[in-house]
Amino acid sequence: MLVELIYASEVEDSVSIEEVRTILATSQRNNAAVQVTGALIFNSRFFLQWLEGDRHVVNRTYHRIAADSRHRGPELLSYRESPQREFSRWSMGYMGEGMINQELLLKYSANGEFNPYAMSADAARGLMLDLSRVSVSLTA
Ligand code: FAD
C-alpha cells in the first residue's frame, strides 16, 4: 500500500548547510534501498519533507527521522494513501530556500513567509509539487 507523508520541523540552531548535505546523502542512500521517494525543503529555520512509499517503510523512516536531534518539533501535516508517487525520480530531492520565490510563497502562505507550521496540508502539498517542477535534486 502506497502512502505519502508530509511533516514540518524546526531546524536545530547548530545545524549547518554541511550537516544538511550529510542528511541528504544518508537519506538518498537509505531511501533508495527501500524504495522511498520524496523531497526536502530547508531554510535556516524549518524543514518541510515529503516521504512516499510502502506504508510500513514510510512509517519506520518517519519514526527514525522524528527522533533525530538535528531538528525538533516534528509535526505531521498530511498522511494519506496515494494512488501514485509524485517524486518517483528522487530518493530525496532537495529544495533550498533560494528556489522558493515570493510569488510561490504568496500563493501558499498568508504573509509570504516560509513557515510550514502555519500551512494547511493542501498548501504544503501544493508548494512542494510546484517546486518539484522547477527544482533539481542532490545539491544543498
Ligand atoms: P548513519 O550512516 O548512521 O549516519 C549518517 C550521518 O548522520 C553520520 O555522520 C552520523 O553521525 C549522522 N547522524 C545520524 N544520526 C544523527 C543524529 N540523530 N544526530 C546527529 N547526527 C546524526 N533518513 C533517511 O533514511 N531518510 C530520510 O528521508 C531522512 N530524512 C531526514 C530529514 C531530516 C530533516 C533529518 C533531520 C534527518 C533525516 N534522515 C533521514 C536521517 C535520519 O534521522 C537518521 O539519521 C538516518 O536515517 C540514520 O540512518 P543511518 O543509520 O544509515 O545513518
Side-chain angles (χ1 to χ4, degrees):
M1 188 186 305
L2 192 67
V3 297
E4 66 176 51
L5 180 159
I6 303 172
Y7 76 87
S9 64
E10 268 190 274
V11 180
E12 268 306 334
D13 296 341
S14 56
V15 169
S16 64
I17 192 74
E18 277 314 311
E19 193 83 53
V20 176
R21 282 183 214 274
T22 304
I23 290 170
L24 268 180
T26 305
S27 305
Q28 287 161 355
R29 187 190 67 226
N30 289 349
N31 294 353
V34 291
Q35 287 86 51
V36 166
T37 49
L40 178 70
I41 300 183
F42 162 79
N43 78 349
S44 48
R45 287 189 62 199
F46 302 108
F47 289 113
L48 176 63
Q49 189 172 26
W50 180 309
L51 298 165
E52 61 190 13
D54 174 78
R55 187 175 73 189
H56 303 297
V57 178
V58 167
N59 269 281
R60 254 201 324 271
T61 304
Y62 175 68
H63 285 292
R64 200 169 63 240
I65 294 170
D68 194 310
S69 57
R70 292 170 288 189
H71 62 167
R72 59 180 181 268
E75 188 164 305
L76 271 183
L77 304 186
S78 172
Y79 179 82
R80 64 190 203 183
E81 286 176 24
S82 170
Q84 67 188 39
R85 289 176 192 259
E86 299 289 351
F87 293 89
S88 54
R89 289 178 301 137
W90 295 349
S91 55
M92 190 46 57
Y94 173 74
M95 305 164 182
E97 190 171 18
M99 295 169 184
I100 315 175
N101 63 39
Q102 202 58 27
E103 199 185 327
L104 263 187
L105 280 177
L106 285 169
K107 187 173 166 189
Y108 291 110
S109 80
N111 59 4
E113 282 176 16
F114 176 64
N115 178 353
Y117 285 97
M119 283 182 177
S120 68
D122 284 347
R125 202 170 182 277
L127 176 66
M128 294 196 88
L129 289 175
D130 275 4
L131 277 171
S132 74
R133 293 180 192 114
V134 297
S135 305
V136 291
S137 75
L138 292 179
T139 45

